[in-house]
């Protein structure tokens, strides 16, 4: 389940303005930072689509852990579509290879403005990271916009330094993606399930934990749950007690991916907290989002819904 980007107007405006600067001949560097699931890749895809619509050519790469041992793997992927690229494949000399690849980019930029899009740069090999930093120092003289996404969030295990730590702040425009706000998340829920009442909606929002990835995955799964009351127009599916009841399993898969991205120490702590929460004694529900006395809502809102426990269990914490 996908939809328009929410609460990302400022980031999109920044990217649109920098794209126009590149079209006018002045390049730049935009770093999009954010936690797992906040929509870095979706925003980058939006920037790519906007640039292409404006006649800007696009070079793109997506970094992965498998390539960290291959020198300049991200740059080789990035410049693959450039004519004559195969004649400039790097050899054993990383510095010489990096210089040849830089000349190739400059030559390609002479033909018109470029958007260079690199996703998940925190997974890039070290020579590629050095190449991107050196390129960022020279882009103001070329019609090239470099847009890079980087994972940035608190983890128990300290992460390595970010890409731009050694770069002058004047050379980069950094934008950090905030978690999705409750109001925006509630709109997503109601668009997917128009019959949802405030309590059911609030439980879905809580299970989404401010992550567009988790929220959309949960709504995907809930869309496959049989509707009560014979599928009435205002019906919503019941919220399950555990991830095992979700089908086809998009939400637990998204949670597992979040845990894997966070690293083993953070994942272990999250699983321990989830297990403790499952064992905690339950009492009267003080949730203020439930329907007021006398209010009319869907019948599933009157029970004690277990939306937050959708993320419960040893493999699914209640939101990252």
């Amino acid at each position: 389940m996908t939809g328009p980007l929410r609460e990302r107007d400022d980031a999109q405006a920044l990217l649109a303005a920098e794209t126009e600067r590149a079209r006018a001949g002045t390049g730049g560097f935009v770093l999009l930072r954010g936690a797992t699931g906040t929509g870095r890749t979706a925003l980058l895809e939006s920037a790519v689509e906007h640039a292409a619509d404006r006649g800007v050519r696009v070079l793109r790469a997506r970094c992965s852990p498998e390539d960290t041992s291959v020198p300049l793997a991200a740059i080789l992927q990035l410049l693959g579509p450039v004519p004559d690229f195969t004649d400039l494949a790097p050899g054993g000399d990383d510095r010489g290879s990096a210089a040849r690849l830089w000349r190739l980019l400059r030559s390609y930029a002479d033909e018109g403005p470029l958007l260079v899009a690199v996703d998940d740069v925190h997974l890039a090999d070290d020579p590629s990271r050095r190449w991107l930093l050196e390129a960022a120092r020279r882009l103001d003289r070329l019609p090239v916009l470099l847009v890079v996404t980087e994972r940035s969030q608190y983890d128990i295990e300290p992460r390595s330094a970010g890409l731009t730590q050694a770069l002058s702040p004047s050379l980069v425009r950094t934008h950090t993606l905030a978690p999705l706000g409750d109001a925006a998340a509630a709109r997503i829920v109601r668009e997917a399930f128009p019959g949802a009442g405030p309590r059911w909606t609030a439980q879905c929002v809580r299970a989404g934990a401010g992550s567009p990835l988790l929220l959309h995955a949960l709504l995907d799964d809930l869309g496959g749950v049989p509707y009560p009351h014979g599928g009435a127009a205002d019906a919503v599916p019941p919220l399950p007690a555990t991830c095992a009841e979700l089908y086809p399993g998009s939400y637990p898969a998204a949670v597992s991916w979040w845990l894997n991205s966070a690293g083993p120490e953070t994942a272990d702590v999250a699983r321990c907290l989830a297990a403790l929460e499952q064992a905690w004694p339950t009492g009267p529900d003080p949730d203020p989002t439930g329907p007021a006395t006398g209010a009319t809502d869907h019948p599933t809102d009157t029970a004690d819904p277990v939306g937050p426990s959708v993320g419960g269990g040893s493999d699914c914490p209640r939101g990252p």
Side-chain angles (χ1 to χ4, degrees):
M1 181 179 296
T2 59
L5 296 175
R6 305 286 181 167
E7 300 183 330
R8 301 294 183 247
D9 291 349
D10 49 354
Q12 290 181 301
L14 168 63
L15 291 165
E18 292 298 314
T19 298
E20 292 307 307
R21 280 170 48 87
R23 293 181 70 239
T26 301
F29 177 23
V30 176
L31 174 65
L32 301 174
R33 304 170 73 243
T36 297
T38 51
R40 300 187 311 267
T41 298
L43 186 56
L44 184 64
E45 292 297 324
S46 174
V48 166
E49 182 177 348
H50 173 80
D53 288 344
R54 300 289 291 163
V56 177
R57 293 168 301 155
V58 177
L59 297 174
R60 59 204 305 180
R62 178 165 295 163
C63 306
S64 67
E66 292 77 15
D67 294 332
T68 54
S69 61
V70 181
L72 295 170
I75 310 308
L76 297 179
Q77 182 187 159
L78 190 70
L79 297 177
V82 178
D84 301 324
F85 166 77
T86 54
D87 295 334
L88 295 172
D93 178 12
D94 289 350
R95 291 180 61 86
S97 298
R100 292 197 300 274
L101 292 170
W102 169 249
R103 289 194 295 270
L104 178 61
L105 179 67
R106 288 191 57 182
S107 175
Y108 196 50
D110 287 340
E111 303 175 14
L114 291 173
L115 171 66
V116 177
V118 182
D119 199 14
D120 290 339
V121 75
H122 53 283
L123 300 176
D125 60 281
D126 288 340
S128 289
R129 290 167 64 88
R130 289 193 294 270
W131 191 95
L132 291 169
L133 285 175
E134 186 58 32
R137 297 185 177 99
R138 307 179 188 181
L139 288 179
D140 59 334
R141 291 167 274 177
L142 297 173
V144 178
L145 172 60
L146 173 61
V147 182
V148 171
T149 72
E150 183 177 61
R151 181 182 180 275
S152 174
Q153 68 184 42
Y154 172 79
D155 289 315
I156 303 298
E157 183 180 2
R159 292 275 174 171
S160 57
L163 177 68
T164 60
Q165 183 168 324
L167 200 63
S168 168
S170 63
L171 296 177
V172 58
R173 301 290 301 276
T174 300
H175 184 91
T176 301
L177 304 182
L180 192 65
D182 286 354
R187 287 196 296 272
I188 293 174
V189 174
R190 288 193 294 268
E191 287 174 3
F193 296 94
R199 182 178 177 77
W200 193 92
T201 298
Q203 295 292 336
C204 290
V205 169
R206 184 184 174 198
S211 167
L213 170 74
L214 294 182
L215 182 60
H216 283 297
L218 175 63
L219 296 177
D220 274 339
D221 282 344
L222 291 175
V225 175
Y227 279 55
H229 314 301
D234 63 343
V236 294
L239 292 171
T242 68
C243 287
E245 299 178 41
L246 289 170
Y247 180 82
S250 298
Y251 182 82
V255 172
S256 294
W257 182 76
W258 182 92
L259 290 171
N260 292 334
S261 299
E265 292 190 13
T266 300
D268 287 346
V269 171
R271 289 188 172 102
C272 288
L273 291 174
L276 288 172
E277 189 175 15
Q278 288 287 300
W280 197 262
T282 58
D285 188 355
D287 189 350
T289 60
T293 302
T296 300
D297 209 342
H298 190 274
T300 58
D301 281 347
T302 62
D304 183 18
V306 289
S309 294
V310 167
S314 60
D315 291 327
C316 296
R318 297 191 180 186

